[in-house]
Amino acid sequence: CHRYLQPPGTWIQCALESRELLALCLKKIKAALSKVRLIDAGFIWTEPHSKRLKLKLTVQKEVINGAILQQAFVVEYIVQSQMCDDCHRIEAKDFWKAVVQVRQKTLHKKTFFYLEQLILKHRLHHNTLRIKEIHDGLDFYYSSKQQAQKMVDFLQCTVPSRSKSSQRLISHDIHSNVYNYKSTFSVEIVPICKDNVVCLSPKLAQSLGNMSQICVCIRVTSTIRLIDPSTLQIAEIDGNTYWRHPFNSLFHPKQLEEFIIIDINKVQEKKKVAGAGAISNKHTLAEAWVQKTSELNTDHQYFCSTHLGHILNPGDLVLGSVLFDLANCNLNDEFANKMNPHHIPDVVLIKKNYDRTKRQRRRNWKLKELERDREGADTDDERQYQDFLEDLEEDEAIRKNVNIYRNADVPVESDTDDDGPPRISLAEMLEDLHISEDATGGEGATM
């Protein structure tokens, strides 16, 4: 691990010919230098694999009649190999002292993909000993409890979550009264992802400015951002508020259906309800007639209000869900079942549906991923990852927190295509630098 022992039991990281290593070597001969004055000290180059360190020292001492004698000499050190405590634990396969278990009880991993990019950007993964991926979350292993606590604090600041901790006694030395514990931190992220249709409790909806109970989640960052598709009223819910008034998603992503816009009209002005909160300026309220693409041979159409009036036109395809259908009532939510049926919209439109194949072909950027152990590859993960990439293209607020790198394998095209799906401009991309070991003065390299 390239660390040196500083007696009695401290291991410090020292690079060759560094100031830290020089100070450590001088302490070894501190007693011999007590009767002279040290003027200069520096390393003499030696082969890195020779296990030898050479120091050239210059000392002075006052001799007879005030005369000062100066002399330079070389001190040679022999480096002896020894295992530190951390290396012992790694070799014994008992190397971790704390684990952070991050879980989210949802079928879509959009929030996890976003969290992964935040960890990469802030370099929180550098202190991890191992990252293990399981079916509903990630496990981060650390060599100390302090590093794990730092990760938990970061998670609570970046995603709405709650945590609890526990510890298990591994060993106890009765003579020195030393206890050896392994700590476990459990972090649960709210089970709400972007593009989920949710039903709020009446008390929570009223406290948010008399919002409708049926809302759409448009973003999950440090808070859950909701929008009322019938009034454009927005609200943000933090983790503490959510756990006091929990709610669930009404539909899974696989349950969304494709609709075609038959007719759409923008609502110029709508009366504001008493006590209403903030209104979104990035969305446009509209009323639309839609029809399922699977029912084009029938006359069955739906009327709904939508917050996507700024991007929808007649003939566009859009993903949505049927909430109230007397022939097939599929809601299984305690708050939705208690609502007045007249207050439940027939259809909630969630997002415009673009050609995914064309978007993948024109995508000239990429993201980095955490190196982790996977239990098994899920065929649905790739589809969910593509959904997350599309969300980045459509939401500028999320892109600000993510490092996006230019993909040199895809040719550069013009960014001024207004008819196609949203795209990320070249100005928002970073160059993916690959620094070789020779450039950094690695082993065997000439500087």
Side-chain angles (χ1 to χ4, degrees), residues 5 48 50 126-127 152 166 179 204 206 208 228 313 335 367 439 444:
L5 176 63
S50 65
H126 280 197
N127 293 327
V152 173
S166 62
Y179 293 83
L204 179 59
Q206 184 180 9
L208 296 176
D228 183 354
N313 296 297
F335 302 130
L367 300 176

Side-chain angles (χ1 to χ4, degrees), residues 56 118 127-128 136 166 179 192 208 275 311 315 334 337 342 350 360 369 386 394 398-399 403 406 410 427 432 442 447:
K56 183 178 181 181
L118 289 180
N127 293 327
T128 55
D136 61 347
S166 62
Y179 293 83
I192 302 297
L208 296 176
I311 58 174
E334 59 172 324
N337 291 333
H342 298 288
I350 297 176
Q360 293 181 1
E369 297 184 9
Q386 293 298 326
E394 297 169 6
I398 298 181
R399 291 203 300 267
N403 283 342
R406 181 164 160 11
V410 180
D432 189 8
M447 294 296 291

Side-chain angles (χ1 to χ4, degrees), residues 123-221:
R123 306 168 70 89
L124 262 295
H125 63 292
H126 280 197
N127 293 327
T128 55
L129 300 175
R130 180 190 178 196
I131 302 176
K132 183 180 179 181
E133 180 180 356
I134 60 175
H135 66 283
D136 61 347
L138 293 172
D139 289 345
F140 298 87
Y141 294 88
Y142 293 92
S143 60
S144 67
K145 184 178 179 180
Q146 291 76 14
Q147 293 175 346
Q149 184 64 56
K150 183 179 179 181
M151 183 65 171
V152 173
D153 295 341
F154 174 78
L155 293 175
Q156 291 181 337
C157 293
T158 52
V159 291
S161 59
R162 63 179 175 181
S163 65
K164 59 181 179 180
S165 61
S166 62
Q167 58 184 11
R168 178 165 55 98
L169 181 64
I170 303 300
S171 61
H172 173 213
D173 188 349
I174 61 175
H175 299 290
S176 60
N177 203 27
V178 174
Y179 293 83
N180 183 19
Y181 289 100
K182 281 193 173 183
S183 302
T184 300
F185 295 88
S186 178
V187 180
E188 182 182 359
I189 303 176
V190 296
I192 302 297
C193 290
K194 185 179 182 296
D195 297 333
N196 282 164
V197 181
V198 299
C199 183
L200 308 179
S201 65
K203 184 176 180 181
L204 179 59
Q206 184 180 9
S207 65
L208 296 176
N210 292 327
M211 289 183 69
S212 172
Q213 289 183 245
I214 303 296
C215 296
V216 177
C217 177
I218 57 176
R219 189 181 303 133
V220 178
T221 51

